[in-house]
Each structure stands twice: as structure tokens, then as C-alpha cells.
Amino acid sequence: MKKKSNSKHPLTEADARLQNMEAFRASEIRYRRLFETAHDGVLLLDPATRKITDANPFMTKLLGYSHSQLVGKELFEIGLLKDEVASKEMFRKLKRKHEVRYEDLPLESRSGRHQEVEVVANLYQEDGHAVIQCNIRDITERKAAEARLRASEERYRILFELGPV
């Protein structure tokens, strides 16, 4: 009895490599699109030097520095952490816990604009090399809205305590 021939031909090694390359390219395009269009700042750092190796466009907009002005700087040099001591402490925590979170950090842009940000930094391995990724979210508007709400609540509390006039 003859075996039925399968109409589908098995992939050749070259076809499989081509499919893998195309899948990798599509993945790289998706990653790059996410990185470049995110509405949060993203910084990539080298843990050995504590220096920025990449920054997304939102980060350059948030700080007012160009990409080339950010690359090679440490976090305290761009106003993200108050000084070198705070920067070194963050890196020590990252080495121990692999994640550091700051809820309310002041950030001053290159032009002097004051902002409030929250930062989540993660230490992970990428192709056998350690990488730090810092996600920075501008929470200035949220903090201002919270302050307006507290002020409004305080006015109503005072009016309530005074009673009818």
C-alpha cells in the first residue's frame, strides 16, 4: 500500500531561517513603535556606568534635551534625581531588588519648567548583558488636580463649620 503524499512540502532550512528573520524584524518594528510613540518617558541605562544609553522621544520632550544630549549622562545630571548620592543609592537598590519605584519626584526641564513624575526602574538581562529601563510618567496635572480638590474640600469644611450666616 502506497503512502499518501502530503501536498504540503516541509520547510527547507532556508525557508525556516527566512521566517525566523521576518518574525524577528516584525518584533523589532513593534518594539521600536512602542518605544518611540509611548506617552511616558523611557530611558535605558548601562548599570556598570549608570549612564543613559537610549531615550525615547517623549523623554526628550519632557526634559527639553535632544537625544544626543541625554545619551551618556547620569540621571542626576538631567535633573531626575537630586544628586549623585541619590543616584548611587537608586542603583544599589536596583542591584538588590531589580525594581525601584518613586511615587513623587520633582523634575526640572532644561528650560526650568517644574514637573512631578513617578519613576519605575527595572534591572533585567538582555542578551546576557544587564540593562536598566526607567519609565517616567509626568504626573504634574494629576498632582495639581489633587491640590485643587484638597483646597476645595478645605473651603467647604470651613463653610460647614461656620454654619449659616
Side-chain angles (χ1 to χ4, degrees), residues 48-100:
T49 64
R50 300 189 313 265
K51 295 190 187 264
I52 297 168
T53 59
D54 203 356
N56 74 337
F58 191 84
M59 196 70 222
T60 62
K61 178 181 170 189
L62 189 64
L63 287 170
Y65 290 102
S66 70
H67 183 268
S68 63
Q69 289 171 320
L70 288 173
V71 171
K73 298 269 194 279
E74 290 195 44
L75 295 179
F76 73 92
E77 293 178 297
I78 61 167
L80 191 56
L81 294 170
K82 63 182 176 185
D83 56 29
E84 190 171 3
V85 173
S87 181
K88 286 180 180 180
E89 177 57 28
M90 184 199 86
F91 281 90
R92 278 192 290 276
K93 284 182 186 176
L94 265 172
K95 285 180 182 179
R96 280 194 323 271
K97 298 181 178 183
H98 295 262
E99 181 183 314
V100 175

Side-chain angles (χ1 to χ4, degrees), residues 2-110:
K2 264 186 162 179
K3 275 188 172 178
K4 288 186 179 179
S5 67
N6 190 348
S7 62
K8 292 183 181 180
H9 297 287
L11 289 178
T12 66
E13 191 175 318
D15 290 336
R17 268 198 311 269
L18 183 60
Q19 280 185 345
N20 286 341
M21 286 173 37
E22 287 173 359
F24 178 79
R25 185 175 163 275
S27 175
E28 175 65 21
I29 290 169
R30 271 192 309 275
Y31 162 78
R32 184 55 51 192
R33 189 177 307 128
L34 284 168
F35 184 77
E36 291 177 354
T37 62
H39 288 273
D40 286 340
V42 180
L43 294 173
L44 299 178
L45 296 100
D46 178 348
T49 64
R50 300 189 313 265
K51 295 190 187 264
I52 297 168
T53 59
D54 203 356
N56 74 337
F58 191 84
M59 196 70 222
T60 62
K61 178 181 170 189
L62 189 64
L63 287 170
Y65 290 102
S66 70
H67 183 268
S68 63
Q69 289 171 320
L70 288 173
V71 171
K73 298 269 194 279
E74 290 195 44
L75 295 179
F76 73 92
E77 293 178 297
I78 61 167
L80 191 56
L81 294 170
K82 63 182 176 185
D83 56 29
E84 190 171 3
V85 173
S87 181
K88 286 180 180 180
E89 177 57 28
M90 184 199 86
F91 281 90
R92 278 192 290 276
K93 284 182 186 176
L94 265 172
K95 285 180 182 179
R96 280 194 323 271
K97 298 181 178 183
H98 295 262
E99 181 183 314
V100 175
R101 178 180 298 269
Y102 295 98
E103 300 295 326
D104 297 308
L105 279 181
L107 177 68
E108 187 174 316
S109 72
R110 185 174 182 205

